[in-house]
Amino acid sequence: MAGKAFSLKAFLLYISRIILRRSRIPRSFKASQLRLQKLPSLANRALIFDVEGALLRSSSLFPYFLLVAFEAGSLLRALVLFLLYPILCVVSEDMGLKIMVFVCFLGIKKHSFRVGTAVLPKFFLEDVGLEGFQEVMRSGRKLAVTALPTVMVEGFLRDYLGVESVVGRELKQFRGYFLGFMENKERSSLVLEKVLGEEDERNRDVVGIGCLNKSLDHQVFSHCKEIYLVSEAEKSNWSQLPKENYPKPLIFHDGRLAFRPTPLATLAMFLWIPMGFIVALVRAIAGYSLPYKMSTPILVFTGIRLKLTIPKSSPTISEDKTTKGGVLYVCNHRTLLDPLYLSTILNKPLTAVTYSLSRVSEVLAPIKTVRLTRDRERDAKMMEKLLSQGDLVVCPEGTTCREPYLLRFSPLFAEMSDNIVPVAMDAHVSLFYGTTAGGLKCLDPLFFLMNPFPAYKVRLLEKVSGAASNCRDDGAQSRFDVANHVQKEIGRVLEFECTRLTRKDKYLILAGNEGIVATDNKPQTHTTQTCKTT
């Protein structure tokens, strides 16, 4: 009996050693449940951190997958995922993750998937905790571990946090399409071995940060000499990362959803969509077919908020008879409806010139629209002719920008007229964005009008006089100076920041093309610069 007992103990000891050797859990694992504020200096040390457990405040991954289903898939795919939410709540965490991956990625083309770089970074940044962010950013080398598919989170971690390597789940694919299944986790250790180098493990100075309520990937965190755990109670007290603390400004982002799609918010969206579609049709029909004096009250009654501020010297109040031709209204660009709302608020017809407009929007537009050819001489002659016939509105940014930034103003308008009125415009939505870089532009006005209470604020600024007569390339006041002045004044009124970014920069970042032909994949950065047109 004693021999059997001894052999059983020996066998159990052998098994325990094998398990311990495979997991390779460092000794400090059990003794390092400390608050992040008590962490030692990480400046010269490598950091392995769990994205969901040590960086994001929310522990739910459902909103991010709902964004993938809606933006990369369709409304129907998002609805299927939402209907499966009760099942996700009762199955295991790993099984729930597999279900969400299958529903969101099955049949999605890998080459065209840009949600991870164009849509999700905004929502990740809004979910980052200030305390966790500070600890991650004060470390030397940063290595991220995530339960999400790498294609969803890698762009955000590399571009905004400077993470050197991301250990996540890769997606299986066939002929360029995702199959909705994830690869196994065995590759993660190989990735870290490559990043950390070939030096002796005893000489590695690596610290890990994870979540106390979440099981760690022992294969990954076994490289750490110390591991610090954050409890869910501590994370619940984290502050949201302020926008001024972003590693770099978030200027461009894409996608239709303007809110974080939590389960309750998603339910509200699906309940509103049928009514929102009807309301959008009523608004569109009223704005298209009725006179201004009749359509404006209807638009306001259906929930549209319009606010106009006009200076006393504006030519809309006291008409200026000293100059020939119409007034040239120069606006910043928030949505395709900018010229329409300006025309509605001013209660007079305007002609809008635009660089790009879908055929559907052009046909349905209740005001006259004229396409620019991007040929400077031809466009200048066209604008001069239109100004001789009446008032004209132009958006020299060339494309829309959702965030409080102004893109570079094209100086062409500065040579067209001595009667230029800058117009500061701002639009606010709660459910859907009325702009897109990768979707169907003809649906932009529909999505904007589907918001319960879309708001437009329009402010006319003091007239810029003498532009056409004084603009010259070698003079004291060139067309660039006039464009910069108008951009700066609009930015000052709106409290927006001026940049030198252009339409081309936006589409290279969000869509991988120049907005005309999807062939140029030239990498671009989007840093904020001084307000100067070149």
Side-chain angles (χ1 to χ4, degrees):
M1 293 293 293
K4 291 183 178 180
F6 176 78
S7 61
L8 180 60
K9 291 181 179 179
F11 176 75
L12 294 176
L13 180 62
Y14 175 73
I15 294 298
S16 63
R17 286 183 177 180
I18 292 178
I19 296 175
L20 182 62
R21 188 180 306 168
R22 286 176 176 262
S23 61
R24 298 170 65 190
I25 304 176
R27 293 180 180 179
S28 60
F29 181 82
K30 296 181 180 179
S32 300
Q33 297 175 10
L34 303 178
R35 296 178 63 86
L36 286 183
Q37 291 84 346
K38 298 181 181 180
L39 282 178
S41 175
L42 302 176
N44 298 320
R45 310 177 73 178
L47 174 67
I48 299 177
F49 67 96
D50 184 88
V51 175
E52 297 82 44
L55 184 67
L56 303 181
R57 296 182 301 158
S58 174
S59 58
S60 174
L61 301 179
F62 177 80
Y64 303 112
F65 282 100
L66 197 285
L67 286 165
V68 173
F70 187 92
E71 306 294 356
S74 62
L75 180 63
L76 179 60
R77 189 187 291 256
L79 178 60
V80 171
L81 180 62
F82 174 72
L83 294 177
L84 291 175
Y85 180 74
I87 299 178
L88 301 176
C89 294
V90 297
V91 299
S92 65
E93 181 179 348
D94 186 61
M95 178 58 66
L97 180 64
K98 291 179 179 179
I99 293 175
M100 290 189 291
V101 169
F102 182 79
V103 173
C104 295
F105 285 95
L106 177 63
I108 299 296
K109 194 174 182 179
K110 179 183 178 181
H111 177 71
S112 60
F113 183 82
R114 305 191 64 86
V115 175
T117 56
V119 179
L120 292 180
K122 170 184 180 293
F123 295 92
F124 281 129
L125 285 170
E126 292 176 350
D127 193 27
V128 169
L130 176 60
E131 291 79 2
F133 170 80
Q134 290 174 339
E135 296 302 328
V136 170
M137 294 306 293
R138 72 188 183 97
S139 64
R141 305 171 68 185
K142 294 180 280 291
L143 311 173
V145 180
T146 178
L148 293 168
T150 306
V151 72
M152 288 178 60
V153 71
E154 185 174 21
F156 158 69
L157 293 173
R158 292 185 184 274
D159 293 344
Y160 286 90
L161 299 185
V163 172
E164 185 174 343
S165 179
V166 179
V167 179
R169 304 289 293 275
E170 300 296 332
L171 297 177
K172 295 182 180 180
Q173 53 181 299
F174 177 74
R175 293 187 176 181
Y177 289 88
F178 293 124
L179 298 178
F181 299 101
M182 295 182 290
E183 302 282 357
N184 55 43
K185 299 181 180 180
E186 296 179 357
R187 298 178 55 189
S188 59
S189 181
L190 300 177
V191 172
L192 282 182
E193 290 289 349
K194 182 178 180 180
V195 173
L196 294 176
E198 302 296 336
E199 66 267 20
D200 189 351
E201 183 177 350
R202 293 173 296 178
N203 297 328
R204 293 175 179 170
D205 194 3
V206 183
V207 177
I209 302 179
C211 184
L212 181 62
N213 304 88
K214 179 183 177 182
S215 60
L216 296 177
D217 187 342
H218 296 155
Q219 189 179 21
V220 175
F221 282 91
S222 62
H223 297 273
C224 301
K225 288 185 176 181
E226 302 173 11
I227 296 178
Y228 298 88
L229 302 178
V230 185
S231 66
E232 288 292 344
E234 183 181 356
K235 287 179 60 179
S236 64
N237 296 324
W238 281 1
S239 304
Q240 182 179 359
L241 180 66
K243 287 189 175 183
E244 55 269 21
N245 288 15
Y246 286 1
K248 66 179 182 180
L250 177 69
I251 300 179
F252 298 129
H253 57 86
D254 205 9
R256 292 293 189 185
L257 297 185
F259 65 98
R260 180 179 176 83
T262 60
L264 287 179
T266 305
L267 174 62
M269 178 191 71
F270 282 115
L271 292 177
W272 167 255
I273 283 179
M275 177 63 69
F277 183 76
I278 297 175
V279 172
L281 290 180
V282 172
R283 292 167 175 171
I285 293 173
Y288 182 81
S289 59
L290 298 179
Y292 295 116
K293 292 183 179 181
M294 296 180 61
S295 63
T296 301
I298 294 177
L299 294 176
V300 174
F301 178 77
T302 57
I304 294 181
R305 302 293 182 255
L306 303 174
K307 182 179 180 180
L308 173 64
T309 304
I310 304 178
K312 294 182 180 180
S313 61
S314 172
T316 60
I317 299 298
S318 57
E319 295 294 337
D320 188 358
K321 301 298 184 180
T322 61
T323 58
K324 298 181 179 180
V327 178
L328 177 58
Y329 294 95
V330 179
C331 310
N332 62 303
H333 206 1
R334 304 302 281 179
T335 76
L336 291 176
L337 299 177
D338 291 342
L340 175 60
Y341 278 104
L342 179 61
S343 177
T344 301
I345 290 178
L346 295 179
N347 195 22
K348 65 177 182 178
L350 299 175
T351 300
V353 291
T354 177
Y355 286 103
S356 61
L357 188 68
S358 68
R359 292 294 181 185
V360 176
S361 300
E362 189 175 16
V363 171
L364 297 179
I367 63 175
K368 182 179 179 180
T369 60
V370 178
R371 289 173 176 266
L372 295 177
T373 63
R374 300 187 184 275
D375 183 306
R376 185 172 176 274
E377 293 184 0
R378 292 178 58 186
D379 292 339
K381 293 180 179 179
M382 181 186 303
M383 292 177 64
E384 288 179 352
K385 180 180 179 181
L386 294 172
L387 275 171
S388 65
Q389 300 172 354
D391 295 341
L392 189 65
V393 56
V394 61
C395 300
E397 287 180 287
T399 189
T400 56
C401 184
R402 298 172 176 176
E403 296 298 316
Y405 296 92
L406 293 180
L407 307 186
R408 192 184 73 183
F409 276 29
S410 172
L412 179 61
F413 73 89
E415 306 173 44
M416 297 297 101
S417 174
D418 294 328
N419 198 8
I420 298 176
V421 177
V423 182
M425 310 195 74
D426 198 7
H428 296 277
V429 297
S430 56
L431 282 183
F432 307 108
Y433 285 114
T435 61
T436 182
L440 295 175
K441 289 188 174 297
C442 61
L443 298 180
D444 287 357
L446 175 63
F447 275 101
F448 180 83
L449 295 176
M450 283 180 63
N451 284 281
F453 300 101
Y456 247 98
K457 295 181 180 179
V458 181
R459 180 170 180 176
L460 273 65
L461 308 184
E462 298 293 338
K463 185 180 70 171
V464 177
S465 60
S469 58
N470 293 332
C471 273
R472 56 185 185 278
D473 292 335
D474 57 348
Q477 186 183 26
S478 69
R479 64 180 187 273
F480 303 109
D481 296 327
V482 175
N484 287 334
H485 172 72
V486 173
Q487 181 197 34
K488 184 177 180 180
E489 286 301 305
I490 293 178
R492 177 185 61 81
V493 170
L494 294 174
E495 297 183 350
F496 286 5
E497 190 169 352
C498 298
T499 74
R500 297 178 63 185
L501 300 173
T502 64
R503 180 181 187 273
K504 177 181 177 181
D505 296 318
K506 170 186 171 179
Y507 279 90
L508 284 172
I509 293 169
L510 298 182
N513 58 69
E514 298 183 9
I516 304 175
V517 181
T519 56
D520 190 353
N521 292 322
K522 178 183 177 182
Q524 296 286 328
T525 59
H526 51 282
T527 55
T528 305
Q529 303 184 35
T530 57
C531 177
K532 182 178 180 181
T533 304
T534 59

